[in-house]
Amino acid sequence: MRVVRPVLGAPSWVSLIAGDLDVAQRFYGELLGWDFEHGPERLGPYVSVLADGVPVAGISGVAISAGTGVGWTPFFGVKDAHEAARRGVDRGGTIGVGPVSIDAGRIVIARDPDGASFGLWQGRAAGVGDPPRQTGVPDWIELRTADAFKAALFYGEVLDWDAAERCEVFYEHERVVLRVDGRSVAALRGLDRPASEDAPVETPRWQISFAAPDVDRAAARAVELGGRVVRRPMDTPYGRTTELADVEGGLFSLITPKARPSATAGE
């Protein structure tokens, strides 16, 4: 996923809507070793996130002024943002922002029929490949939703997965999995059952996982920095992972990934 231009049909960028840009930079910078580069204001104050000098994500400090919640959003590459947005609305989704032009192309922020937020990004296609594992790189995204197969039909039609030459969809580990250039990059799965009758019901959303060499140690560090552990570290088919909330309540995950199927990327 470490790309700065979208691959058609694939998750190509992640962005955080934060309430306080400085607070977000301090937390994630300390936790993941990120550096930051102030960029042109898009929908408000904005910084690019750099891991080893490579742009891997963005942070917008607009949650308070825009009246929106704090959270991470994945953006998928599309050929035509207007057409993809239209397909989403026709299939029960809603548009929150856009299509709007930014320095990197055209973007849309939308919700699927079950309420999970996602983005569309129209720009020039780029290679994905199998990037070297390193701390802080977005490594895996997963949609948690009521009906993974229904959601897969929605996203498949909006993102035109059938026509995307570099994408394939298959089923494994009770998930619908998206593979790009032979590498598994995203999945759609059912919601977790509440741990008890009093536990809150999980709402549909995309979860972003960033690579970390030791998720147990990183989870402890996140708590020291003012975050909290939502789900304790555990082993999954894709690696050891933990779910966290940042200082402002934004949910994300860390993962020490297992090797996943990979093929040489096409250009």
Side-chain angles (χ1 to χ4, degrees):
M1 286 179 59
R2 195 182 70 181
V3 296
V4 295
R5 290 183 297 272
V7 172
L8 298 182
S12 300
W13 189 251
V14 296
S15 186
L16 171 66
I17 295 179
D20 188 314
L21 201 55
D22 292 334
V23 168
Q25 289 180 84
R26 284 196 297 271
F27 176 81
Y28 288 100
E30 289 288 338
L31 181 64
L32 297 174
W34 282 346
D35 295 314
F36 304 94
E37 183 177 87
H38 285 271
E41 290 198 5
R42 294 179 173 178
L43 303 177
Y46 181 86
V47 295
S48 290
V49 173
L50 307 178
D52 289 349
V54 177
V56 297
I59 303 177
S60 298
V62 299
I64 295 176
S65 61
T68 61
V70 172
W72 284 95
T73 300
F75 284 77
F76 295 82
V78 294
K79 184 177 181 179
D80 186 320
H82 283 275
E83 174 60 22
R86 183 194 63 77
R87 289 199 298 263
V89 171
D90 287 348
R91 289 159 178 79
T94 57
I95 304 301
V97 177
V100 296
S101 295
I102 60 171
D103 56 299
R106 296 184 65 77
I107 64 168
V108 174
I109 299 176
R111 291 184 182 272
D112 68 23
D114 292 315
S117 295
F118 68 102
L120 305 171
W121 183 8
Q122 176 186 337
R124 186 165 65 86
V128 174
D130 194 4
R133 305 298 184 196
Q134 65 180 33
T135 299
V137 171
D139 185 85
W140 181 250
I141 72 167
E142 196 165 81
L143 176 67
R144 297 172 182 172
T145 190
D147 188 328
F149 294 102
K150 174 186 171 184
L153 288 174
F154 172 82
Y155 285 97
E157 292 175 346
V158 172
L159 302 173
D160 207 11
W161 281 341
D162 286 342
E165 296 180 357
R166 298 164 67 177
C167 297
E168 61 176 325
V169 180
F170 61 101
Y171 186 78
E172 69 173 13
H173 304 307
E174 300 183 347
R175 294 163 171 85
V176 178
V177 177
L178 176 67
R179 185 177 289 176
V180 179
D181 292 338
R183 181 174 183 268
S184 300
V185 297
L188 301 85
R189 51 162 285 193
L191 296 170
D192 291 330
R193 294 181 179 178
S196 67
E197 292 183 359
D198 298 329
V201 177
E202 189 176 21
T203 58
R205 60 186 173 84
W206 283 96
Q207 184 80 356
I208 314 297
S209 295
F210 299 96
D214 186 332
V215 298
D216 296 78
R217 180 176 297 179
R221 180 58 176 152
V223 173
E224 292 174 357
L225 294 169
R228 63 185 175 88
V229 175
V230 178
R231 284 188 175 86
R232 295 177 181 176
M234 61 181 293
D235 293 319
T236 75
Y238 301 99
R240 187 162 179 80
T241 185
T242 183
E243 183 177 333
L244 306 171
D246 64 25
V247 178
E248 297 185 305
L251 299 174
F252 67 103
S253 290
L254 300 177
I255 186 170
T256 301
K258 292 181 179 179
R260 296 197 291 271
S262 171
T264 301
E267 294 297 326

